[in-house]
Amino acid sequence: MADSDPEPAPDGARRARAESAAGEPTRLLRAAMQEVSTVIVGQEQMVERTMVALIARGHCLLEGVPGIAKTLAVSTLAKVTGGSFARVQFTPDLVPSDIVGTRIYHPSTERFDVELGPVFANFVLADEINRAPAKVQSSLLEVMAEKQVSLGGTTYPLPAPFVVIATQNPVESEGVYPLPEAQRDRFLMKVLVPHPRAHEEMEILRRMSTTPPEAHQVLDPVTLLELQADAERVHVHQLIADYVVRLVMATREPEEYGMGDLRRVLEIGASPRATLGLVAAARALALIRGRDYVLPDDVRLLARDIMAHRLVLTFDALADGVTTTQIVDRVLATVPPPRVIWDDPASGEPAAVAAR
């Protein structure tokens, strides 16, 4: 006689198991971010977004004026997560071999030896990336997309996990080379880093005027890879996936979504990397916030960072002072998100997601 099917577990037990499974990754990620915050004052959004990019296996572009702790945040994150760290200061006289490496001939042995460049690290900080010409910037394309370097007919894989975090100054226009569209598209997100507020400035003065605090290691590369795998298992409802696609398609075919006036200002809409990036980043954000499912708010919260830098404006839009963030805000306001139906608000879990 065949065994009968096991009795399904009660909802409460099922929720408890789900919370227990998702609780440890969330605790580790929050502990790592908290440790970064012992050094970095304020800038919570920058710290969270760089962690999202890391867990989503993407790269991050930080844009802000000098002196607001962009470089310090990246080096601190590397120390907290236990990964190797390399900083490359981009300058106009830099050449691609300074980044990826080169072959060097040794007369004593009459052979070429390969000297690998600084990109062979878990965390690569491309400081002031827009100060180097396009030839140097493009040397990172294979590094960022395939996570490998080809030298002398041999391919060298990069260490895992691997992330490129670049910084750029938006104010200076002399002696800089704006990133081309293909390069910007390789970055999962572009984060605008503002000046600290008054109370944060006072805390910076208090902390840094004496012996600066030091962060301690919380994670290690192996654990980081496991957390990346945990994020990929976060559930994405079909209607949320459809919402992501509609947001991206609205930048390519605005007429179909009742925004025909955007055709005058949009030359190129967001690429498929925006679609993939929104889902991957939303999964990582959900994991950081203690959920094993993605909500529409996760997508909306990250849309600016992931979509805006992928849009190409027309000359008329540039002349009129239209920004890509304004276009993303318009798309978010026009394209309706799916509606979350909560089974029990106290449980913090949705029963279903319904279309508007």
Side-chain angles (χ1 to χ4, degrees):
M1 179 174 162
D3 293 336
S4 59
D5 293 336
E7 183 179 351
D11 288 345
R14 198 161 54 242
R15 288 187 186 126
R17 283 201 301 269
E19 289 173 0
S20 176
E24 182 62 15
T26 299
R27 185 192 67 78
L28 289 172
L29 290 170
R30 289 179 177 174
M33 293 170 57
Q34 182 63 36
E35 193 64 27
V36 173
S37 298
T38 62
V39 176
I40 304 299
V41 179
Q43 305 295 9
E44 293 87 358
Q45 178 174 320
M46 176 180 66
V47 173
E48 184 180 65
R49 296 297 191 271
T50 51
M51 183 63 78
V52 166
L54 178 60
I55 299 304
R57 304 179 192 267
H59 309 289
C60 188
L61 177 62
L62 304 178
E63 182 175 281
V65 298
I68 51 178
K70 301 187 298 296
T71 301
L72 181 61
V74 179
S75 60
T76 304
L77 182 63
K79 185 173 183 179
V80 168
T81 55
S84 56
F85 173 73
R87 173 182 176 180
V88 181
Q89 188 68 45
F90 278 59
T91 56
D93 61 346
L94 207 65
V95 295
S97 59
D98 293 331
I99 299 174
V100 298
T102 187
R103 300 174 70 205
I104 299 177
Y105 179 72
H106 294 279
S108 60
T109 59
E110 296 184 351
R111 57 178 291 182
F112 284 93
D113 290 337
V114 173
E115 294 290 337
L116 300 178
V119 294
F120 286 85
N122 297 119
F123 288 82
V124 176
L125 173 61
D127 215 355
E128 295 189 281
I129 191 173
N130 57 337
R131 285 197 175 277
K135 185 177 182 180
V136 177
Q137 295 172 359
S138 63
S139 66
L140 287 175
L141 290 178
E142 182 186 15
V143 171
M144 297 171 66
E146 279 80 35
K147 295 181 173 59
Q148 65 184 28
V149 171
S150 299
L151 290 173
T154 304
T155 298
Y156 300 89
L158 293 164
F162 175 76
V163 61
V164 173
I165 302 180
T167 68
Q168 66 178 12
N169 182 354
V171 177
E172 294 179 336
S173 58
E174 293 185 6
V176 297
Y177 304 82
L179 290 173
E181 289 79 8
Q183 185 83 30
R184 294 201 307 266
D185 201 32
R186 294 302 199 281
F187 287 99
L188 171 66
M189 59 177 64
K190 175 184 175 182
V191 181
L192 303 180
V193 186
H195 274 117
R197 290 161 289 196
H199 69 280
E200 294 170 344
E201 194 90 12
M202 182 62 71
E203 180 63 18
I204 292 173
L205 179 62
R206 187 189 69 79
R207 286 192 197 179
M208 301 302 178
S209 59
T210 56
T211 303
E214 291 189 8
H216 300 90
Q217 182 177 341
V218 175
L219 305 174
D220 57 74
V222 174
T223 304
L224 205 51
L225 291 173
E226 293 172 353
L227 291 171
Q228 290 175 340
D230 289 332
E232 292 174 346
R233 289 190 288 269
V234 171
H235 177 66
V236 179
H237 194 280
Q238 179 61 35
L239 287 176
I240 292 180
D242 175 71
Y243 177 53
V244 170
V245 171
R246 285 187 289 121
L247 288 177
V248 173
M249 294 303 298
T251 66
R252 301 183 206 166
E253 303 169 357
E255 303 90 346
E256 301 294 328
Y257 296 86
M259 298 179 288
D261 56 306
L262 291 186
R263 178 56 63 192
R264 185 183 66 85
V265 298
L266 267 177
E267 183 173 340
I268 301 176
S271 72
R273 285 196 181 99
T275 307
L276 298 172
L278 271 172
V279 172
R283 279 176 160 150
L285 183 62
L287 187 66
I288 290 174
R289 300 196 171 181
R291 285 181 274 107
D292 59 357
Y293 53 87
V294 172
L295 292 176
D297 285 347
D298 298 327
V299 176
R300 295 176 62 84
L301 195 63
L302 296 166
R304 267 191 176 192
D305 303 317
I306 293 174
M307 294 175 61
H309 67 285
R310 291 183 161 91
L311 303 179
V312 179
L313 301 178
T314 63
F315 178 79
D316 290 341
L318 295 173
D320 293 341
V322 177
T323 65
T324 54
T325 53
Q326 291 173 341
I327 293 176
V328 174
D329 288 343
R330 171 78 182 282
V331 170
L332 288 173
T334 304
V335 179
R339 181 166 51 93
V340 178
I341 302 174
W342 298 95
D343 183 19
D344 179 9
S347 71
E349 291 188 8
V353 179
R356 284 288 188 188

